Amino acid sequence: MRSLSRAVVVALSAMTLAGSVTGTATAAPTVAPATVLGSISDGPGSFAVYRTVDTGKKATAVDDEACNAYFGTPRRFTVLQRLDARLYTFANSPTTGFLTNPTKSDVGPIYVCGTLGLDGQSIYEQYSRATAPGIGPLTMSGPCGLTPYIAEGRGGADCVQRINPNSTGVTGGVASSNSVTNPIRLPGGTTGSLWTFYTTGTPKSPVNAPTAPQAPDTGSVKYSVGREVDSISAGAEAGCPGGVRTTKIHAISVDAATGAIAGEPSATTAADASICYQRPGLPDFGAMLTISIRGINLTTTNGGHCRQSALPGTASRQQTCGFALPANYGRGLNGGLVTLNGVVPPNDPAGSVNSAVWTVSVLGSVQPAF
C-alpha cells in the first residue's frame, strides 16, 4: 500500500511537471515526491531522534579511554568535556512539535567528549559513543558550531558527526545535535541535546524495555521536532547561487522504545521555512534561513552553515545545517538553534531525496503553545 501510494504521488508530480513546461523551455519548480504527505520517504537510511541529558555522573574509564584513543597524544590532554548522558524518547505536540514530556523513557547511554579543533575545519570537535535500541553500539565524530547564550550563561552547539559502521549492520550515516551546553555545570540547567541519528544499512540489535527516567533539570530550553512537507527546490536566485528551498515543517512523533520516527508527520503545519544556499564547499558553506515558528508565533531570518558528505552506495549527499536563532528579549527569547538533517541530490543542495528532520530549540521565558 505504501509503495502504491508513493507511485501515485510520483506519477501525479510528473504529470504536474509535464503540464507546467508546455510551451516553455524551463521546467517550473515542483514539490519533491519524497516530501509529500502519504508517501514521506527516509531515502536510503533510517531516522531516530532522542532527547539527551547529562547524568551528572563521572564518565566510565572505558568511555574516557576510547576518547583518549580517538584524539591521541597530545590532544587527549586538551579534552575540555567528558560527558556521561542518557538517551530518552519523548512525547510531543502533534500541532507544534514542541516536546510535552522531554524525557519520557530512558532507552540507553551516550557519552560525548570534545576539544578545540586544530585542523582548520572547525572550532570544536566531538567524539561520541552511544548504544541505541535496535541500532546497537555506535561511535561517531565530527565538528561543532558554537553559539553563546549570554542571558543564559550557557552556549549552543550544532554538531555533525559521521557514524562509523558497526557489528550489528550499520554501514554509515550522520548524527546531528541541537545542544545546549553547560560544561562546568553552573546553575540554570544541565547540558542536553536533541539528537537526530540517520543510519544506513539494516541494523539488528536488541530493544530493551525502556526504564523510568530520573527528573533532570534542563533549565529553560524547549525543543520541537518535525519533518519537511511539500519541499520545493526553486532554483538559483540573486544572492542564492546554491538554490532556494521552501518547505513546510510538520510535527513527528517517535517510537517510545526505539526513538525511530513513528509513521507519517502530522497533517498540521508547525513551521514554514525557506533556505537560501551558497555554493557547496568544504568543509562547509553559508546559508540563510527564514523561518516562521507557529508554536511561539515568531518569524526570523538568520545566517548559518551547512555541510555535505558522501553516503555509501549512492550518489546522493547527506546534508546537515545549523542556524542560530537571535535573541528577542522582548518576547522572552534568549536564543536558540535550528538544525536539519537530510539527503539531497548530488548537484542540488536545495533539493530533497528524503524528508529531512528539523529540530528547533528556544531558551528563555518564552512559552510555546501546544
Side-chain angles (χ1 to χ4, degrees):
M1 182 66 70
R2 182 181 176 89
S3 60
L4 177 60
S5 173
R6 178 167 170 74
V8 170
V9 171
V10 172
L12 289 173
S13 297
M15 291 170 61
T16 301
L17 179 60
S20 69
V21 300
T22 302
T24 181
T26 304
T30 185
V31 174
T35 67
V36 176
L37 281 177
S39 63
I40 294 294
S41 172
D42 287 343
S46 300
F47 285 106
V49 185
Y50 305 98
R51 180 74 163 92
T52 68
V53 182
D54 178 7
T55 66
K57 299 177 181 178
K58 180 177 174 57
T60 68
V62 172
D63 284 334
D64 279 343
E65 283 305 312
C67 172
N68 293 341
Y70 171 77
F71 284 112
T73 302
R75 294 188 73 199
R76 61 183 294 177
F77 299 111
T78 68
V79 171
L80 302 175
Q81 177 189 42
R82 298 177 186 269
L83 184 73
D84 181 85
R86 302 295 299 181
L87 299 171
Y88 294 98
T89 55
F90 52 81
N92 63 320
S93 165
T95 302
T96 67
F98 277 95
L99 276 55
T100 55
N101 186 349
T103 55
K104 182 177 181 180
S105 298
D106 183 335
V107 296
I110 182 169
Y111 166 86
V112 175
C113 70
T115 189
L116 297 177
L118 298 178
D119 59 0
Q121 302 286 303
S122 63
I123 298 173
Y124 193 76
E125 184 179 358
Q126 274 190 349
Y127 167 82
S128 303
R129 289 157 53 89
T131 301
I135 300 173
L138 297 172
T139 59
M140 309 167 282
S141 60
C144 300
L146 301 178
T147 302
Y149 300 141
I150 304 301
E152 294 277 330
R154 294 190 282 172
D158 56 294
C159 300
V160 180
Q161 302 194 19
R162 294 291 299 175
I163 296 174
N164 298 317
N166 73 2
S167 60
T168 65
V170 171
T171 58
V174 171
S176 56
S177 74
N178 185 327
S179 302
V180 179
T181 64
N182 187 354
I184 59 175
R185 295 171 176 160
L186 295 172
T190 54
T191 293
S193 307
L194 198 63
W195 280 84
T196 303
F197 289 7
Y198 188 72
T199 54
T200 55
T202 54
K204 294 181 180 179
S205 184
V207 177
N208 298 321
T211 60
Q214 298 178 349
D217 172 20
T218 58
S220 72
V221 63
K222 299 96 179 174
Y223 279 105
S224 72
V225 60
R227 294 192 77 164
E228 289 186 359
V229 174
D230 294 345
S231 173
I232 297 172
S233 175
E237 296 180 2
C240 307
V244 175
R245 175 189 299 176
T246 61
T247 188
K248 297 182 182 298
I249 302 165
H250 290 208
I252 57 96
S253 58
V254 301
D255 182 88
T258 66
I261 292 178
E264 291 278 318
S266 164
T268 304
T269 300
D272 303 272
S274 174
I275 301 175
C276 163
Y277 290 95
Q278 299 304 303
R279 296 190 190 281
L282 296 174
D284 54 28
F285 56 99
M288 184 70 69
L289 169 72
T290 298
I291 187 168
S292 295
I293 306 168
R294 300 190 181 188
I296 57 172
N297 191 27
L298 175 75
T299 299
T300 184
T301 297
N302 38 291
H305 58 97
C306 299
R307 289 179 179 262
Q308 292 189 174
S309 56
L311 276 176
T314 174
S316 300
R317 309 286 290 174
Q318 179 86 34
Q319 183 187 97
T320 54
C321 299
F323 304 91
L325 284 178
N328 185 332
Y329 299 121
R331 293 285 314 281
L333 178 67
N334 293 338
L337 285 172
V338 178
T339 73
L340 67 90
N341 185 331
V343 181
V344 300
N347 298 309
D348 183 10
S352 297
V353 171
N354 65 0
S355 174
V357 170
W358 288 62
T359 71
V360 176
S361 61
V362 296
L363 290 88
S365 61
V366 60
Q367 292 296 324
F370 297 108

